Amino acid sequence: MSVSLSCHRCETRYDDDTRVRCDCGEPLWIDAETTSFAWDDCGNRSGMWRYEAALPIDRPDGVARAAGGTPLVRSPGLDDVAGGRVFIKDEGENPTGSYKDRGSAVAVPRTIAAGDDVVGTVSYGNMAISTAAHATSLDRECIVFVPEDISPVRLELIAQYEPTVVRVGGEYGALYEDALELSDRLPITALVSDDPARISGYKTALFEICESFAPETPDVIALPASSGGFASGVWLGIRELERAGLIDEPPRLCLVQTAASDPITRAFEDGSTDPTPMSSDETGETIARSIGNPDPPSGARALSAVRDTDGAVVSVTDDEIRAAQRRFAVEGGFCVEPASATTLAGVSRLADRGEISAAESIVLVPTGTGFKELGTGETDVATETVHRTDLADRLESLLPPRGE
Ligand SMILES: *Cc1c(COP(=O)(O)O)cnc(C)c1O
Ligand SMILES: [Zn+2]
């Protein structure tokens, strides 16, 4: 595939494939020629590499080959809460437990092919874990910038891949721009949330969903949104499939934010095209640690995605997130992280407002596994200890009678 970049807002094209931003300030994405793209022509390669023809690199070696190809399953136990027919696209089944692997699988090998730069990232969550894993699997050094007060659990998850970890003091939020500048001055390529190659990788999640539904299209797709990178990739996928004639009516994109930091929701409600960055006085703590970017670099693009598909943006509170996370487990059997549980809480709000109807198909995308968040030693489950000699008698009273 020949690579050119373009801007979603002003449609300017650039042939310089190292650019990441348009002159108008918006992040760029990579255009794929999909007019002749057809499901039957996709090969039988594993995971996201089934769509290699629409990606800007050839299938690489390493852990990238394990990215994507996640299951889409019907989960009727969640229908009542969600207000429609629920399908789960479980992105927690990627090699490092989140959809970020789809982006790293394209962006890391592409950086490596371009030269001998160290791969860098600014994250202390799934982005860092994924980037470090993909870099080391191709034998390339990775440098991860984390906040100085990172929790030991998070540090351990990142450190298992042995990247160079730099704790940074000062305002961590400002590091996003600093990282792009570091890339200009030092032999580091920083793969931040809106890197164009990452966005290309993310579109494969949408391709997989639509191929599973073909020739139908799901009515609603619900994703959590923070930087807006994943939403951008999903929208890119929708646009490419529309151009290829593979979908007519696009699914409505529903983005969900944490009420603790929700600049995209605010802009959606105001009718603005650009989110207004939120100051630290306006934002709060949330259990949904993977989301809550107060100044989302792909925020304007995410808003366009929602408006273009006639979707919505909603915010949910930590209490709603906790309840939804529990439903995912108890009703669906899925262990999802709080950021991902927002999807269920969000569609439930939309259904209450009458924006989703019972006959509609809803794809919830739990973006990350909940297993990384466990291990705190806390649980609410009531247990009792029974001596082994009394086990049979005691179980008789605990279990439901046979035949029920
Ligand atoms: C990164 C992340 C998000 C947010 O995605 P953006 O692309 O920043 O909008 C949501 N959920 C999980 C689990 C993540 O790791
Ligand atoms: Zn532009």
Side-chain angles (χ1 to χ4, degrees):
M1 191 185 109
S2 68
V3 173
S4 72
L5 293 118
S6 72
C7 173
H8 75 97
R9 175 169 283 171
C10 68
E11 293 179 358
T12 306
R13 282 184 175 279
Y14 299 90
D15 289 329
D16 168 8
D17 73 0
T18 61
R19 260 190 103 106
V20 293
R21 285 296 173 94
C22 181
D23 286 338
C24 81
E26 280 297 291
L28 296 170
W29 56 21
I30 297 174
D31 285 312
E33 307 278 328
T34 51
T35 36
S36 61
F37 184 79
W39 300 128
D40 285 346
D41 299 340
C42 297
N44 53 8
R45 294 203 143 159
S46 68
M48 59 187 271
W49 303 103
R50 177 166 167 68
Y51 311 114
E52 190 179 22
L55 291 170
I57 59 163
D58 293 336
R59 181 177 65 159
D61 291 326
V63 75
R65 292 201 181 192
T70 59
L72 177 90
V73 300
R74 173 86 176 97
S75 192
L78 294 171
D79 289 0
D80 281 351
V81 197
R85 300 172 55 243
V86 174
F87 295 79
I88 307 277
K89 177 66 175 167
D90 187 19
E91 288 297 294
E93 297 195 30
N94 275 290
T96 73
S98 82
Y99 81 90
K100 298 283 194 312
D101 286 327
R102 293 182 189 268
S104 305
V106 178
V108 172
R110 185 163 174 264
T111 301
I112 291 176
D116 51 14
D117 271 13
V118 167
V119 175
T121 195
V122 180
S123 160
Y124 53 105
N126 291 324
M127 175 88 82
I129 295 168
S130 175
T131 307
H134 286 258
T136 200
S137 91
L138 293 174
D139 203 21
R140 181 61 59 94
E141 186 58 37
C142 178
I143 183 162
V144 182
F145 300 99
V146 302
E148 61 182 329
D149 59 353
I150 184 173
S151 83
V153 178
R154 287 269 140 175
L155 189 58
E156 186 182 358
L157 285 165
I158 299 167
Q160 65 181 312
Y161 302 107
E162 300 190 358
T164 301
V165 178
V166 180
R167 287 183 195 246
V168 184
E171 201 199 325
Y172 187 72
L175 260 189
Y176 169 84
E177 291 294 338
D178 296 355
L180 293 177
E181 270 171 43
L182 283 178
S183 293
D184 292 338
R185 290 176 38 198
L186 296 167
I188 297 176
T189 298
L191 298 174
V192 290
S193 61
D194 59 3
D195 177 80
R198 271 194 188 286
I199 307 299
S200 287
Y202 296 159
K203 77 185 178 188
T204 60
L206 183 277
F207 282 15
E208 288 172 15
I209 293 169
C210 288
E211 188 174 10
S212 302
F213 273 84
E216 308 289 309
T217 311
D219 296 302
V220 173
I221 299 182
L223 323 166
S226 181
S227 72
F230 191 34
S232 300
V234 168
W235 187 35
L236 179 64
I238 291 175
R239 290 163 58 116
E240 291 183 1
L241 295 186
E242 281 182 315
R243 243 183 285 147
L246 294 177
I247 52 178
D248 299 325
E249 185 77 1
R252 288 165 5 236
L253 273 191
C254 293
L255 305 184
V256 191
Q257 296 217 282
T258 162
S261 178
D262 57 354
I264 304 178
T265 309
R266 288 166 190 234
F268 180 72
E269 287 173 354
D270 286 355
S272 326
T273 52
D274 291 81
T276 305
M278 290 175 68
S279 69
S280 51
D281 306 337
E282 296 170 297
T283 56
E285 292 287 306
T286 172
I287 56 166
R289 276 178 306 189
S290 294
I291 56 177
N293 189 324
D295 183 9
S298 295
R301 192 161 55 181
L303 278 166
S304 296
V306 167
R307 295 197 172 113
D308 185 62
T309 60
D310 201 20
V313 191
V314 282
S315 299
V316 294
T317 64
D318 275 11
D319 281 347
E320 290 173 275
I321 296 172
R322 256 184 227 103
Q325 190 181 21
R326 184 155 165 261
R327 294 290 195 130
F328 261 109
V330 178
E331 248 74 69
F334 287 96
C335 174
V336 307
E337 65 162 275
S340 303
T342 59
T343 53
L344 180 59
V347 296
S348 170
R349 277 209 177 196
L350 292 170
D352 288 346
R353 287 198 217 150
E355 293 180 33
I356 290 179
S357 70
E360 290 191 302
S361 50
I362 306 170
V363 180
L364 303 180
V365 188
T367 40
T369 177
F371 288 118
K372 291 179 201 165
E373 308 263 320
L374 301 179
T376 59
E378 290 164 25
T379 170
D380 290 340
V381 176
T383 57
E384 70 170 296
T385 305
V386 181
H387 195 274
R388 53 177 283 271
T389 51
D390 303 328
L391 205 50
D393 289 344
R394 185 70 191 102
L395 285 183
E396 215 163 26
S397 69
L398 285 175
L399 300 175
R402 277 221 172 84
E404 268 193 16

